[in-house]
Amino acid sequence: MAKERRAGDPWKSRLFKMSTQSDLTELRDRGFDNERQVHGLIERNIGTMFPGLELLETEFRGMARGALRPDTIAFDTTRNTFVALEYKNRLNKEVVDQARTYLNLMRQHQAELILSHSKNMGCSPRDEKSFNWKKMYAIIMAPEFGDYQIIGADEDPTMEMYEIGMYDDSIMLVERVGGDHEGTSAKAARTPAKARAQRSPADQIKSAPAIKLARVTISKGSSVPGCEKTNGCYVPHTVTIDVGGEVVWTNDDPNTHTVTSGVMAEGGPDGVFDSGPFVFGAEFSHTFETAGEYPYFDLTHPWMRGVVIVKE
């Protein structure tokens, strides 16, 4: 990948495909047909693009004010908070103000968000105080942003901005721009606005922030077989954290459960971690110090299975 700088413009990404061992062919940026195309791609792949995010609502009418409603509402399981996502298929000068309006609406409709979380995460409604409302933020995705929008995002911890492009061979580019504050663990580079015109493309790549906390809910009704058909016993079924990160499990089912590492069909418990029986409303946590994939299950309800992925 290479980039070019045009007067008054942000860096424009250029992608090349190696056609032979020594020849490169540039992939053309074909753009997006409409906002609906961007919307669908992101929602279908939200957990891949933003590890830790769980889709809750599309165009959430539960907190709409007239025609105002966010494209997507998600839940950030690593930060225990709600996220608004907004998509554009071209430069839009109002999109940042639009996202701030959605965050204000979210603050005014906490009860609706709690009910949406319960419905879509397969758990009982949690107490309002159990969510991190102060950390709510917005993700904005568009092919480009104006310089003032990017500089403004540098100073606003509630905004995350990503420039996106659709290229030949169905290749999609996602690049973080603007603020370097704490946010999601999206697999995208970050480009601080004030340095964009001064740095080479190689200097602009930064690693994603470490994922140090993930939360899993034991869903209501999971003590009866059936939840395993949709991977809905432990929600989310798979979480990803970095080495040294912690996973916290909460029991939202009236019955007693366990969180036991191992695979029942492969010998059962492997001794890495075991909660022992814990009751409704209780929590169990474990800190992972070694990279790897850790399957687990419930000793008393063996159809219940989940996975923790720990990255270096």
Side-chain angles (χ1 to χ4, degrees):
M1 182 178 76
K3 294 188 176 183
E4 61 183 354
R5 175 71 172 175
R6 296 174 180 170
D9 287 343
W11 284 101
K12 299 293 184 181
S13 297
R14 300 175 64 197
L15 297 181
F16 296 84
K17 179 180 180 180
M18 184 177 291
S19 52
T20 67
Q21 288 188 340
S22 58
D23 295 327
L24 295 176
T25 301
E26 182 169 3
L27 301 179
R28 292 172 295 172
D29 185 352
R30 295 183 173 276
F32 296 93
D33 296 333
N34 48 53
E35 289 180 17
R36 181 61 58 184
Q37 181 188 17
V38 182
H39 191 155
L41 280 170
I42 304 305
E43 286 198 343
R44 285 193 297 272
N45 299 279
I46 193 167
T48 300
M49 300 184 71
F50 300 97
L53 289 197
E54 293 286 338
L55 176 65
L56 295 184
E57 301 283 353
T58 298
E59 296 185 346
F60 188 30
R61 299 179 184 273
M63 51 173 258
R65 177 178 294 175
L68 291 176
R69 53 180 177 267
D71 288 335
T72 301
I73 293 291
F75 187 73
D76 188 332
T77 59
T78 65
R79 293 169 58 76
N80 191 34
T81 196
F82 296 90
V83 187
L85 292 90
E86 187 66 20
Y87 320 107
K88 301 296 179 185
N89 66 324
R90 60 176 61 89
L91 176 66
N92 185 299
K93 295 182 179 180
E94 298 180 352
V95 67
V96 175
D97 290 335
Q98 195 175 345
R100 290 194 176 107
T101 298
Y102 293 148
L103 288 177
N104 286 332
L105 284 174
M106 290 165 69
R107 296 183 185 103
Q108 297 166 20
H109 292 81
Q110 294 182 3
E112 289 85 349
L113 291 173
I114 292 172
L115 289 175
S116 175
H117 175 273
S118 172
K119 178 185 71 175
N120 292 287
M121 300 290 282
C123 59
S124 301
R126 285 167 46 183
D127 184 86
E128 177 182 334
K129 295 180 180 179
S130 69
F131 295 99
N132 196 344
W133 299 103
K134 293 182 179 180
K135 292 292 186 178
M136 288 195 300
Y137 61 96
I139 293 174
I140 308 171
M141 309 189 78
E144 64 176 309
F145 296 96
D147 288 341
Y148 289 112
Q149 290 178 321
I150 298 170
I151 292 171
D154 279 342
E155 312 300 330
D156 189 346
T158 68
M159 293 290 127
E160 290 192 8
M161 297 164 59
Y162 296 85
E163 289 186 342
I164 55 177
M166 181 60 72
Y167 290 76
D168 289 337
D169 293 347
S170 298
I171 292 175
M172 183 176 178
L173 178 70
V174 180
E175 183 180 23
R176 174 78 180 270
V177 297
D180 197 21
H181 47 73
E182 185 179 15
T184 70
S185 54
K187 297 177 180 177
R190 297 181 174 194
T191 310
K194 297 175 183 177
R196 297 179 85 187
Q198 303 170 6
R199 296 183 180 182
S200 68
D203 291 335
Q204 294 178 14
I205 305 301
K206 294 187 177 182
S207 59
I211 308 172
K212 290 300 184 183
L213 176 66
R215 292 182 177 273
V216 179
T217 299
I218 297 176
S219 60
K220 184 177 181 180
S222 57
S223 55
V224 177
C227 59
E228 74 280 5
K229 296 178 181 178
T230 58
N231 286 334
C233 303
Y234 295 103
V235 180
H237 173 268
T238 303
V239 294
T240 301
I241 58 171
D242 288 302
V243 169
E246 178 186 26
V247 179
V248 179
W249 288 266
T250 303
N251 185 4
D252 271 0
D253 186 64
N255 292 280
T256 299
H257 290 273
T258 78
V259 174
T260 305
S261 62
V263 178
M264 177 62 80
E266 298 177 6
D270 60 15
V272 176
F273 58 88
D274 185 9
S275 65
F278 68 113
V279 298
F280 173 70
E283 290 188 345
F284 166 72
S285 65
H286 182 77
T287 299
F288 293 81
E289 302 293 352
T290 305
E293 188 169 307
Y294 297 85
Y296 63 90
F297 66 102
D298 184 336
L299 275 171
T300 54
H301 309 96
W303 55 85
M304 296 176 58
R305 296 182 296 273
V307 180
V308 177
I309 298 173
V310 183
K311 303 184 301 179
E312 291 284 2

